[in-house]
Amino acid sequence: MKKIIMLFAAVAILGVTGCSSLGVQPWERDLLATDEMSLSAGATDLALDDHIYFSKEGTSGGRGFAGGGCGCN
Amino acid sequence: MQLNKTDLKKALFAASCTLLAGNSVAQDWDFDTAIMYYGEADRVQALEGIFQAKKTLKDDKEFSAKLVVDSLTGASANGAVQQATAQTFTTPSGNGQYTANTSETPLDDTFLDTRVQISAQWSQPLAENYVVSTGANVSNEYDYQSIAFNGVLGRYFNNKNTTASLGLSYALDSVDPVGGRPVGLSTMVVDNGQFSDEAAYRSAFDATRQTGGEDGKNTVDVILGLTQVINRQWITQFNVSLSEVDGYLTDPYKVVSEVDASGMATQQRYENRPGSRSKQAFFAQSKYRFESSVWDISYRLTNDDWGINSHTIESRYRFLFDNNSYLEPHIRLYQQGEADFYTPFLREGDAVPEFASADYRIGKLNAYTFGIKYGKKLKSGREYGVRLEYYNQASQDVGVEAPGGLNSLDLYPSLDAVILQFDYKF
């Protein structure tokens, strides 16, 4: 668990501070603004997949809340 | 980078939208619908429908509501080992029996359920550089009810190229199994004619049921997220999540076989799992836009205090065509280690452990999914898609020596499923 938190902390610090040179100007968001580049593109597919894998495998979540809400596991 | 005329128009449009400080006008409702069939060979068949409505209001406020209905039928592995002779089991209700033939994985064919879930979500900017989202969902199935609330706070940095978020979710579930909750690791009562009458059988069956104790579970999830735009074509996301679950986490319908030195099952015990579970996950996703394709690749690492750890790699590669259609091959690879208390069977004569489960889902397993999706955007913003996938799950040997006749039987059967989905946005 410690490793996971440290890894995330390193990424977060890099992201918020060290990576300020990364990114684009507001007028360069044309491609990022398209549906297919959205991180939640195919949200319906992902929701259906989550339900399948939640009920067939021993782990869940990661992308979103691991949650309860289903007696399938 | 040289921009052509179309790119320039798009860039100027995107810039003007951003400079106008978001969307100041309300838009029409957007609807997202899907129907999915999931079918395992000779086992579970499921049909699931989703209807989602979303409305963007003034000032980037957004409301969405979703209805999910799914229906399950078919047979599910009950956890017992295969045997060289036919086996008889009592149904969860205690009112009937089902059998497994010689060298057949015992399947409970009384599996039948319909689940309805309703959820709503609201999101809006909170102040400059902050966004908040909050929601709730309720679900109901024959033996299970759930209510959950969530909230997510996001903070933009670096010209909105970096987004940090904190999400919390609390779910309250209640379980009311058919036939009641079995006493953990008690022996399944099977009526083989040894009871003098129905009342004597019922009394023996009832003695395997819990009369009090925990009949629900609470789940608290926390997610820390970070989204980073790398450049005009590349965006990444990283999440760390913690999940604490307390309550009744046992599957009331699963058993563990107890076998003797010859490998013969002498009794079936109802499984028993710990009353809490702490899970952690790390998730990373990268999305890259090529000239006429998009590659979405993600990795997830999880572990928990049950001893289950897993690795998931998933790739979706979308080929974009000129006629507003796309083709998207999908690959998912999954590997999972078994829970500390997972065992394919118990040995007669050994002390009965506090916790034991033979549920293949918390055993050691490898799985893969191969699929492809075709989608097309129509005029007026409508869009449809069709997806076909194949899922294979192979349970792995956990290194328990199989006594006698169990040696020649399949203790770790695999599972194949087909997924077919149609979706339509309008």
Side-chain angles (χ1 to χ4, degrees), chain B residues 151-422:
Chain B
V152 181
L153 180 67
R155 165 76 159 97
Y156 302 118
F157 299 90
N158 310 333
N159 246 340
K160 292 192 173 179
N161 284 302
T162 307
T163 309
S165 63
L166 170 66
L168 291 168
S169 163
Y170 178 72
L172 190 64
D173 298 0
S174 69
V175 191
D176 182 18
V178 174
R181 280 168 291 122
V183 173
L185 296 167
S186 64
T187 300
M188 176 186 276
V189 175
V190 182
D191 185 355
N192 291 318
Q194 74 274 40
F195 295 103
S196 55
D197 55 20
E198 172 66 21
Y201 160 73
R202 186 45 72 173
S203 169
F205 177 81
D206 289 347
T208 66
R209 304 290 121 173
Q210 294 184 38
T211 50
E214 190 64 62
D215 60 356
K217 69 181 186 199
N218 305 325
T219 307
V220 178
D221 286 327
V222 181
I223 297 188
L224 289 167
L226 183 81
T227 304
Q228 177 66 49
V229 172
I230 307 292
N231 59 35
R232 189 169 157 262
Q233 294 160 282
W234 191 10
I235 184 167
T236 57
Q237 182 179 27
F238 304 90
N239 289 343
V240 161
S241 46
L242 309 173
S243 185
E244 287 287 331
V245 196
D246 283 292
Y248 185 72
L249 306 182
T250 297
D251 187 324
Y253 307 129
K254 299 278 190 242
V255 297
V256 194
S257 301
E258 188 168 303
V259 302
D260 63 15
S262 69
M264 196 173 89
T266 53
Q267 56 182 316
Q268 310 293 342
R269 293 182 181 274
Y270 293 102
E271 69 152 56
N272 194 33
R273 304 184 190 190
S276 69
R277 187 176 178 190
S278 299
K279 304 189 278 187
Q280 302 91 38
F282 172 74
F283 173 80
Q285 181 184 12
S286 160
K287 209 154 186 181
Y288 193 89
R289 166 74 189 237
F290 294 94
E291 181 73 27
S292 55
S293 58
V294 176
W295 190 23
D296 180 340
I297 186 160
S298 65
Y299 168 73
R300 180 185 66 167
L301 166 71
T302 74
N303 66 49
D304 65 35
D305 63 354
W306 282 7
I308 300 176
N309 54 62
S310 75
H311 301 273
T312 314
I313 297 172
E314 200 160 5
S315 164
R316 286 183 167 84
Y317 197 99
R318 183 177 290 200
F319 296 95
L320 302 165
F321 302 120
D322 290 339
N323 63 350
N324 277 329
S325 66
Y326 66 86
L327 205 56
E328 187 177 84
H330 172 219
I331 298 171
R332 179 182 185 271
L333 304 173
Y334 178 79
Q335 185 183 52
Q336 171 186 302
E338 75 277 18
D340 299 334
F341 54 89
Y342 169 82
T343 180
F345 52 82
L346 296 169
R347 296 289 295 264
E348 194 178 56
D350 289 354
V352 178
E354 185 181 8
F355 305 114
S357 172
D359 186 346
Y360 69 93
R361 297 172 301 178
I362 55 170
K364 186 177 182 181
L365 54 90
N366 296 337
Y368 63 83
T369 308
F370 290 131
I372 193 152
K373 179 167 187 177
Y374 173 79
K376 185 167 171 61
K377 287 181 185 171
L378 306 169
K379 285 173 187 166
S380 68
R382 295 175 185 211
E383 185 177 337
Y384 71 85
V386 55
R387 181 164 74 121
L388 180 65
E389 307 219 310
Y390 170 73
Y391 176 61
N392 175 275
Q393 190 183 69
S395 291
Q396 303 294 304
D397 191 332
V398 292
V400 177
E401 194 186 337
L406 278 188
N407 250 324
S408 56
L409 296 166
D410 188 3
L411 290 177
Y412 305 100
S414 61
L415 180 153
D416 299 281
V418 170
I419 299 155
L420 179 63
Q421 176 194 317
F422 295 97

Side-chain angles (χ1 to χ4, degrees), chain B residues 16-147:
Chain B
S16 62
C17 287
T18 310
L19 293 171
L20 282 168
N23 170 49
S24 59
V25 289
Q27 293 177 1
D28 283 341
W29 285 93
D30 288 320
F31 298 99
D32 207 337
T33 63
I35 186 154
M36 180 200 71
Y37 165 79
Y38 168 91
E40 296 170 5
D42 304 323
R43 293 207 206 170
V44 173
Q45 316 281 309
L47 204 57
E48 179 161 343
I50 294 186
F51 184 86
Q52 182 171 2
K54 190 169 79 177
K55 187 163 177 70
T56 305
L57 304 158
K58 268 176 70 175
D59 305 322
D60 282 335
K61 292 172 182 167
E62 191 179 281
F63 172 76
S64 67
K66 185 158 86 167
L67 171 71
V68 181
V69 180
D70 61 86
S71 173
L72 298 174
T73 55
S76 179
N78 72 356
V81 288
Q82 293 185 8
Q83 290 283 275
T85 54
Q87 303 182 80
T88 303
F89 302 90
T90 301
T91 57
S93 67
N95 296 333
Q97 295 183 334
Y98 60 95
T99 55
N101 290 329
T102 307
S103 305
E104 235 180 44
T105 301
L107 303 174
D108 178 356
D109 58 4
T110 59
F111 197 41
L112 171 71
D113 206 353
T114 298
R115 175 172 171 271
V116 178
Q117 181 190 326
I118 298 168
S119 54
Q121 196 78 23
W122 172 266
S123 67
Q124 66 169 80
L126 197 61
E128 195 183 356
N129 287 324
Y130 284 92
V131 62
V132 66
S133 175
T134 181
N137 78 69
V138 288
S139 74
N140 183 61
E141 53 200 288
Y142 185 72
D143 57 356
Y144 202 92
Q145 285 78 42
S146 173
I147 181 163

Side-chain angles (χ1 to χ4, degrees), chain A residues 5-31:
Chain A
I5 290 180
M6 283 173 68
L7 179 63
F8 183 77
V11 171
I13 290 164
L14 274 174
V16 177
T17 59
C19 297
S20 55
S21 60
L22 292 175
V24 296
Q25 296 298 324
W27 55 87
E28 294 174 316
R29 285 187 173 265
D30 56 333
L31 296 176

